[in-house]
Amino acid sequence: MTIVSTANMTDATAAIVAEVGGSSSNQVDIMIGIGLVKDSEAVFFQYVGEDGNSQALMRDNGKPVTRIAPVRVTGLSVAEDIGEFKSTKLNLFVETQSGRTVMLTSGLQTIWSQCVLTGLMGMFANGTLDSLIAIDTWKGNSKMKPCFAAIRNNGVKQTSDSMYEDLAEARGNRDKARVEAIMRDAVAVLSETLTGVPADVIDVTEERAQVENDF
């Protein structure tokens, strides 16, 4: 099990843990991966250095950070052919109340990404995409320990019933192509609503380099 204490974190990691974990501190921009270490209790991992290494985001008491809040969604993108396995990633950009940008990244078809986009599509339908939200994340109990997520607005869980049902049907049919199509459509709709332009395909490594240059 990989546990990283606050004392062993970089100043950048400690600052963002303080901000999204509920304490006040100086804030920095970082990139966060979801569920990168299956055997860790942590769900959020900060990318550090030039080699793609990561550190778990943990509280002072040794418990993992499981909520990022309050933040406002500012954009989404799909990154293609990432890493050794040529993965397709969802990049979610959120802004903290201090005006800092955090990028959360996960596989486009992961359960976490499906949960997040289903919640955001619910907010889109309600016309509340510009609201402050909380992103809650936890691990499931199955062998693969998938990460789940909930988007909450004023404490109320957000969802799109139609997208939830479409994804459930596609998963039930083991139709990965359909799942991906639903996810890409959602990213396009949300991105255009937030920025006025369709979603861009961005290389996540370029985003990482930009974040590190901002430290």
Side-chain angles (χ1 to χ4, degrees):
M1 183 176 295
T2 302
I3 299 294
V4 178
S5 69
T6 303
N8 292 331
M9 291 182 184
T10 64
D11 291 342
T13 305
I16 200 67
V17 167
E19 181 175 6
V20 303
S23 302
S24 60
S25 183
N26 293 327
Q27 292 83 33
V28 295
D29 295 333
I30 66 170
M31 188 175 82
I32 296 174
I34 310 301
L36 299 182
V37 182
K38 297 298 182 185
D39 294 330
S40 172
E41 295 178 355
V43 292
F44 295 125
F45 293 80
Q46 180 204 351
Y47 286 99
V48 293
E50 298 179 356
D51 297 326
N53 295 322
S54 62
Q55 289 183 325
L57 296 187
M58 310 294 289
R59 297 180 184 275
D60 289 340
N61 62 5
K63 298 293 185 179
V65 172
T66 58
R67 166 170 285 195
I68 292 181
V71 292
R72 192 185 312 276
V73 177
T74 58
L76 302 95
S77 67
V78 175
E80 310 279 4
D81 297 328
I82 303 305
E84 178 183 355
F85 299 105
K86 303 298 182 182
S87 302
T88 300
K89 299 282 189 176
L90 169 69
N91 294 338
L92 174 67
F93 299 89
V94 298
E95 184 180 68
T96 68
Q97 288 189 298
S98 66
R100 299 292 185 176
T101 296
V102 178
M103 189 183 94
L104 297 98
T105 184
S106 183
L108 181 63
Q109 295 195 42
T110 61
I111 293 298
W112 186 88
S113 293
Q114 292 181 44
C115 292
V116 165
L117 290 188
T118 300
L120 293 179
M121 285 298 289
M123 295 186 68
F124 163 76
N126 295 331
T128 57
L129 263 182
D130 60 345
S131 301
L132 289 173
I133 63 169
I135 303 172
D136 291 328
T137 298
W138 64 94
K139 284 194 172 181
N141 297 320
S142 65
K143 181 178 180 181
M144 295 304 293
K145 301 276 185 77
C147 286
F148 293 80
I151 302 293
R152 290 187 168 86
N153 180 12
N154 289 325
V156 179
K157 183 178 178 180
Q158 305 296 299
T159 191
S160 164
D161 291 338
S162 60
M163 183 171 176
Y164 178 89
E165 292 169 1
D166 288 346
L167 285 171
E169 180 181 4
R171 290 195 305 269
N173 294 332
R174 298 186 178 182
D175 189 344
K176 293 184 178 180
R178 177 59 178 156
V179 170
E180 181 170 347
I182 294 169
M183 297 291 282
R184 286 182 180 274
D185 286 347
V187 170
V189 168
L190 293 167
S191 180
E192 186 166 1
T193 301
L194 290 165
T195 66
V197 296
D200 293 326
V201 175
I202 301 174
D203 186 341
V204 73
T205 58
E206 294 179 1
E207 292 296 329
R208 181 183 305 152
Q210 182 60 50
V211 169
E212 292 168 354
N213 289 336
D214 287 341
F215 284 167

